[in-house]
Amino acid sequence: MRPFAYALAVGLATVQLASAALAADITGAGATFPFPVYSKWAEAYRKETGSGLNYQSIGSGGGIKQIQAKTVDFGATDAPLKPEQLTKDGLVQFPTVMGGVVPVVNIPGIEPGKLKLTGDVLADIYAGKIAKWSDPRIAKLNDGLKLPDANITPVYRSDASGTTNIFTTYLSQVSEPWKKEYGAATTISWPVGQGGKGNEGVTATVKQVPNAIGYVESAYAKQNKLSYALLQNKAGKYPQPDDKAFQAAAASADWKATPGFGISLTNQPGEEAWPITAATFILVHKDAADPAKSAAVLKFFDWAYKNGDKLATDLDYVPLPDNVVELIHQEWKDVKGKDGKPVFNM
Amino acid sequence: MPALTESIALGRTRSATARKAPSRSLDTLFRTCSYGAALLVLLVLAGILGSILYGGWPAFREFGFGFLTSSAWNVGTEQYGALVAVIGTVASAFLALLIGVPVSLGIAVYLTQLCPGWARKPVAMTIELLAAVPSIIYGMWGLFVFAPLFARYIQIPVSNLVEGMPIVGTLFYARVPSGVGVFTAGIILAIMIVPFIASIARDMLDQIPTVLRESAYGIGCTTWEVVRHVLVPQAAVSIIGAIMLGLGRALGETMAVTFVVGNANRLSASIFDPSSTIASRIANEFNEADGLQLNALMALGCILFVITFVVLIIARLLTRRVQAA
């Protein structure tokens, strides 16, 4: 692994040198999920301030590796690092935007938002224990809905993905058998169904295959007008998967509990909370090797918190609540230059 | 202008002198260069093998021989096995040959023996254009266009027909009737390898001396007999070489297969069911892999290397036998 990481680092360093020669842009790499909103923000930011951002969406794992190797100014990941890991690598972690993961379905004759599922039923569908839509356990949740006597085709992400991590984290929380047998990870050994590559692949497969169920970022579900299912949350309610429900999940979470904000937003207790909500995170080094660059990174995200909400909601992302942003500003004081002073002053 | 003429003239004289007295040193230089080029390939190959062996070693050490025979692939519990991917790789490549080889040979024979002169060029060019299509285009076409049609008109009717039958029922029943799976991957791969095999086979058939063919016709052979008993045996060695080249491509093809193979880590007796290949698994997971998972992916790459190598050895043995016979 080491030589590979090294080769990657050298390759990236070359790219970075080349772009540094062009302009004093900040560079980041990582998660693909927030890529659309980061590029929109970067575009608007450049128009306003003249400084740019170069973001490579290479996946969360890649983002973590590259910030560890110090080849980028910031890393981005959908799966937050644990506090121990953050301390070990000397990193500061903070969330930027949130999104929800939505189960999408293609059942002939069923309209969007009509099908209701609970977490453990969803887990059993993906575990192959519930094989038909006409299963009594699904019928019990959906009184009056005519469900076909057809095999369910569960669709999952074939590529390793943060979305899968969020989805299986949720399944592990709501289903003991799932947790024991499959657990939560970026790739799972799915017992049934079929894999699609990327959100696009899952979307396309669900659209094409009758009686399929899949899971995608809410933005994809909305933009592709996919039929979605409602999920029962911890409070026993079936909220609509929209900004309000995602924000409710964020509001009821205890952000202060974990350093680095690495809390899971899945299965939050609020009445309105959508059960599969997640934030995406940024990683920067505590001891800034280049204080000006680190300050530029924080300045960019500070700008985004203040001015980026509209751009984010346009793309179906959910901005963070104000109280969380305040906590993040506190956290930023840990990013210090060689003189021991915070690189970014409010 | 006069200077140009002068230089051309000079150049001519120089090349003329070179022709008269061939330079020894140039010859040595040329020999060394070509020797170096050949050696470079070996070095690169050894380097690749070395690095994937080094990268995959922890996985081999952890699971031992069980890595080859286990069908588990679970990132959460760090259990890895290559069996499903190996079978998927071999099965899809085999299906590709099964479909692709007869078609390619048919094309080659048609183009060299039966095709009217005016149609030769356009048909040959069209076939070769197929080779220029990027593999991801094949993958997208396979997923968005071919798979739905295949599911609707072949997979679902066949599945309904054979459901419950012994043997046929297990082989052709699709649990996930979405149009993707090992069989679809085989078809897409077949389309991808046809231009390779067809154009090499055509070149080989073209090079067979006309006198051979004409004498066969002269003693009253039919076209079929000429092809069967004269042309094919003459070009057999090269045709096997062409098929092996196609097989190599089918074994290693990544993007197109990732799109249409269904990406499931399960053993299934049905060729209509989703599975995965070594290349598709690496493509899917490499980005986010870490630790033992990365080692296991490297080990998979190593196994693919060995499979391809074994295939080449078999090809060598085959050609030797054909040559001897």
Side-chain angles (χ1 to χ4, degrees):
Chain A
M1 210 222 102
R2 287 275 153 242
F4 171 67
Y6 180 71
L8 205 70
V10 170
L12 243 114
T14 329
V15 172
Q16 205 186 4
L17 275 178
S19 62
L22 285 173
D25 286 357
I26 45 173
T27 56
T32 47
F33 157 59
F35 173 66
V37 67
Y38 288 177
S39 41
K40 268 272 173 301
W41 281 348
E43 199 182 302
Y45 188 64
R46 187 192 287 274
K47 251 182 222 152
E48 221 174 283
T49 65
S51 32
L53 163 75
N54 173 13
Y55 183 71
Q56 309 281 331
S57 62
I58 55 166
S60 299
I64 294 169
K65 273 179 210 151
Q66 296 210 353
I67 188 68
Q68 283 169 343
K70 302 193 181 180
T71 50
V72 287
D73 301 324
F74 69 88
T77 171
D78 291 337
L81 291 182
K82 298 215 169 64
E84 310 86 87
Q85 185 74 41
L86 291 173
T87 325
K88 204 184 111 211
D89 291 334
L91 295 170
V92 170
Q93 173 176 267
F94 57 91
T96 51
V97 283
M98 301 180 300
V101 175
V102 180
V104 289
V105 291
N106 173 5
I107 313 171
I110 305 279
E111 278 166 50
K114 289 287 181 239
L115 182 73
K116 289 176 178 172
L117 297 171
T118 60
D120 65 318
V121 164
L122 188 62
D124 281 353
I125 288 174
Y126 270 92
K129 287 174 192 156
I130 295 177
K132 284 182 188 291
W133 282 118
S134 52
D135 192 278
R137 283 174 66 199
I138 301 177
K140 215 178 86 188
L141 298 170
N142 295 284
D143 227 6
L145 208 61
K146 223 179 111 43
L147 286 158
D149 182 32
N151 279 343
I152 305 175
T153 300
V155 183
Y156 47 84
R157 283 283 290 270
S158 65
D159 50 334
S161 121
T163 313
T164 302
N165 194 31
I166 294 160
F167 185 69
T168 50
T169 302
Y170 168 70
L171 293 186
S172 299
Q173 279 168 343
V174 293
S175 161
E176 222 18 75
W178 182 273
K179 189 177 174 186
K180 247 175 52 209
E181 222 158 315
Y182 308 105
T186 53
T187 322
I188 294 282
S189 187
W190 304 93
V192 285
Q194 169 191 335
K197 196 160 162 45
N199 276 308
E200 307 81 6
V202 172
T203 308
T205 311
V206 170
K207 268 187 168 171
Q208 279 170 20
V209 183
N211 302 306
I213 183 168
Y215 60 89
V216 292
E217 300 286 350
S218 62
Y220 280 88
K222 218 179 254 175
Q223 280 151 20
N224 290 292
K225 299 194 172 54
L226 290 171
S227 180
Y228 56 90
L230 296 181
L231 270 179
Q232 190 183 47
N233 63 17
K234 215 174 183 179
K237 296 274 169 26
Y238 290 92
Q240 286 288 330
D242 55 19
D243 330 4
K244 253 192 3 222
F246 304 146
Q247 220 146 20
S252 52
D254 185 8
W255 291 88
K256 283 185 197 152
T258 329
F261 306 92
I263 51 158
S264 163
L265 295 179
T266 49
N267 210 25
Q268 286 297 326
E271 294 243 321
E272 306 261 290
W274 177 253
I276 324 180
T277 306
T280 180
F281 300 85
I282 293 297
L283 296 163
V284 288
H285 281 283
K286 239 179 212 164
D287 301 315
D290 182 350
K293 274 280 169 69
S294 298
V297 171
L298 300 185
K299 209 174 136 204
F300 170 75
F301 285 107
D302 182 52
W303 175 91
Y305 289 135
K306 287 192 182 114
N307 309 294
D309 288 4
K310 170 93 179 41
L311 289 172
T313 45
D314 282 352
L315 289 166
D316 294 305
Y317 291 89
V318 181
L320 294 170
D322 289 343
N323 60 332
V324 179
V325 174
E326 231 155 83
L327 287 173
I328 292 167
H329 280 141
Q330 294 296 318
E331 185 100 351
W332 282 358
K333 293 193 175 132
D334 286 351
V335 183
K336 288 171 183 157
K338 290 193 181 71
D339 54 356
K341 283 187 192 146
V343 295
F344 182 72
N345 293 305
M346 298 300 302
Chain B
M1 199 63 190
L4 192 68
T5 343
E6 202 174 324
S7 75
I8 291 172
L10 270 175
R12 271 199 190 138
T13 4
R14 210 170 19 216
S15 72
T17 31
R19 259 205 304 279
K20 261 179 226 150
S23 143
R24 272 283 143 122
S25 62
L26 203 67
D27 218 32
T28 334
L29 185 71
F30 178 68
R31 191 192 298 270
T32 327
C33 277
S34 55
Y35 186 65
L39 207 65
L40 196 66
V41 173
L42 272 183
L43 274 177
V44 168
L45 208 65
I48 293 172
L49 187 62
S51 59
I52 54 175
L53 249 178
Y54 176 78
W57 192 246
F60 285 127
R61 202 180 45 208
E62 176 85 21
F63 304 109
F65 192 68
F67 185 71
L68 263 182
T69 54
S70 159
S71 61
W73 190 273
N74 201 329
V75 181
T77 59
E78 299 227 304
Q79 285 301 313
Y80 301 106
L83 190 65
V84 178
V86 169
I87 291 179
T89 307
V90 175
S92 58
F94 177 74
L95 282 168
L97 284 192
L98 206 67
I99 302 164
V101 168
V103 174
S104 318
L105 294 186
I107 291 171
V109 168
Y110 175 75
L111 279 180
T112 52
Q113 312 302 321
L114 307 166
C115 185
W118 58 267
R120 247 181 223 203
K121 266 255 163 74
V123 174
M125 206 132 107
T126 319
I127 308 278
E128 265 151 35
L129 264 180
L130 278 180
V133 177
S135 67
I136 190 144
I137 303 296
Y138 279 110
M140 285 161 67
W141 176 79
L143 180 65
F144 292 111
V145 181
F146 181 76
L149 292 175
F150 181 73
R152 186 193 277 173
Y153 294 109
I154 298 177
Q155 209 176 33
I156 294 174
V158 170
S159 275
N160 290 340
L161 193 73
V162 301
E163 192 175 356
M165 284 191 217
I167 304 171
V168 191
T170 40
L171 203 57
F172 293 104
Y173 179 70
R175 166 74 182 78
V176 184
S178 55
V180 304
V182 181
F183 192 67
T184 313
I187 293 174
I188 299 292
L189 283 175
I191 299 172
M192 294 177 74
I193 64 175
V194 157
F196 287 86
I197 305 179
S199 46
I200 296 176
R202 188 200 57 169
D203 285 347
M204 291 305 135
L205 291 179
D206 254 349
Q207 277 171 25
I208 293 171
T210 327
V211 63
L212 266 179
R213 217 183 324 152
E214 278 170 358
S215 44
Y217 280 121
I219 58 168
C221 286
T222 61
T223 310
W224 162 248
E225 282 165 339
V226 171
V227 170
R228 170 70 189 78
H229 296 289
V230 179
L231 298 182
V232 170
Q234 273 292 318
V237 175
S238 325
I239 289 176
I240 291 176
I243 293 173
M244 288 304 146
L245 201 68
L247 180 59
R249 183 176 166 108
L251 283 171
E253 176 48 46
T254 310
M255 271 344 275
V257 171
T258 306
F259 270 82
V260 296
V261 80
N263 302 304
N265 182 52
R266 302 185 285 276
L267 279 181
S268 169
S270 170
I271 55 168
F272 280 166
D273 267 349
S275 182
S276 54
T277 70
I278 293 178
S280 75
R281 173 143 319 146
I282 293 174
N284 273 324
E285 295 181 16
F286 196 75
N287 257 358
E288 304 261 324
D290 212 342
L292 194 59
Q293 188 189 1
L294 190 63
N295 298 137
L297 289 175
M298 290 281 197
L300 273 187
C302 200
I303 291 172
L304 184 58
F305 202 96
V306 172
I307 293 176
T308 325
F309 199 67
V310 169
V311 163
L312 280 181
I313 291 173
I314 295 173
R316 269 291 133 96
L317 292 178
L318 258 179
T319 44
R320 195 172 297 167
R321 266 182 70 184
V322 171
Q323 265 169 338

